[in-house]
Amino acid sequence: MHRRILFSKEQIDKRVNELALEISRDYQGVEPVFVGLLKGVIFFFSDLLRAISIPARIDFIRAESYGNSMESSGNIRITKDVEVDLRSKHVIVVDDIVDTGLTLSHIVDVVRSRGAETIKVCALIDKMERRTSNINIDYWGFRIEKGFVVGYGLDYAEKFRCLPDIYVLEEKVNNDTVKGD
Ligand code: IMP
């Protein structure tokens, strides 16, 4: 598998700071609770939250849906729940990448069932091609049509998470194999 750079650290920093500014303006006078969807969101979440200029609370939730494959199974299981009381809170669910949208819409339902007053969604990457749920992404960093991306928290079978830039994985065409087989 070959990887090609898609978004550099500089591009990511710029976009994350813009998002933080936008969210800070929209939530002026409110103390929102940011709920990060583990594990892919870690770097995005920590960069975003350090750039937020209003008082905020943070918590995390973890859902399992992918296993080691590149496709969502659609079966979503909460493996780590939120710990703060979300009743009457203004919640922003923060995710790394939205693909089918099944995971995120399930999480939004969970947050709603905990009594949140308002819920918005923030995703670093909105990957549009395979969307099957009609989830509305209120804040997004980058929009891509398709492709499997890694780095800056995003993994493929737990690999590549710690790369500072974002890459797209591509099948490497090996001419020798093509010719020989
Ligand atoms: P969804 O339920 O299909 O929207 O899947 C969302 C989750 O699948 C994300 O939070 C990621 O963990 C994972 N995912 C989807 N696309 C990618 C990708 O391109 N790279 C890495 N993880 C991905």
Side-chain angles (χ1 to χ4, degrees):
M1 202 83 79
H2 174 75
R3 56 174 204 257
R4 176 172 57 83
I5 195 153
L6 191 61
F7 303 117
S8 67
K9 186 183 179 309
E10 291 69 30
Q11 286 172 292
I12 299 167
D13 285 350
K14 184 169 176 287
R15 213 37 212 125
V16 171
N17 285 325
E18 287 168 359
L19 281 177
L21 196 68
E22 198 184 335
I23 296 172
S24 302
R25 279 195 196 126
D26 291 353
Y27 283 82
Q28 208 56 251
V30 183
E31 194 178 321
V33 183
F34 288 81
V35 175
L37 202 44
L38 293 171
K39 295 193 283 193
V41 84
I42 47 162
F43 300 128
F44 175 45
F45 195 84
S46 58
D47 287 345
L48 182 75
L49 267 292
R50 277 178 296 181
I52 291 283
S53 59
I54 52 165
R57 299 181 195 190
I58 64 170
D59 203 354
F60 298 95
I61 193 165
R62 182 158 189 216
E64 205 178 64
S65 66
Y66 257 67
N68 282 349
S69 107
M70 283 190 181
E71 280 173 41
S72 179
S73 64
N75 297 322
I76 292 125
R77 194 166 63 94
I78 303 287
T79 54
K80 189 240 167 276
D81 212 333
V82 279
E83 288 156 30
V84 300
D85 184 357
L86 298 181
R87 277 176 297 179
S88 308
K89 298 290 192 314
H90 297 279
V91 176
I92 303 169
V93 179
V94 187
D95 198 3
D96 51 359
I97 183 163
V98 187
D99 187 9
T100 64
L102 293 171
T103 311
L104 201 53
S105 48
H106 183 76
I107 298 298
V108 167
D109 287 346
V110 170
V111 169
R112 189 176 297 115
S113 74
R114 304 287 158 77
E117 189 167 326
T118 65
I119 308 167
K120 281 195 181 180
V121 165
C122 171
L124 177 66
I125 301 176
D126 179 3
K127 183 163 75 174
M128 299 177 293
E129 193 193 30
R130 300 198 294 192
R131 189 68 36 82
T132 52
S133 88
N134 60 358
I135 182 116
N136 180 45
I137 303 170
D138 303 280
Y139 305 98
W140 50 269
F142 300 101
R143 272 197 163 142
I144 61 172
E145 190 50 38
K146 57 185 176 185
F148 201 86
V149 295
V150 296
Y152 193 61
L154 292 153
D155 74 308
Y156 173 56
E158 291 301 325
K159 287 192 287 195
F160 312 119
R161 274 197 208 279
C162 301
L163 300 172
D165 310 283
I166 295 175
Y167 297 81
V168 61
L169 290 185
E170 293 171 335
E171 294 288 349
K172 194 171 184 179
V173 180
N174 182 334
N175 285 335
D176 293 343
T177 315
V178 173
K179 278 181 211 150
D181 291 346

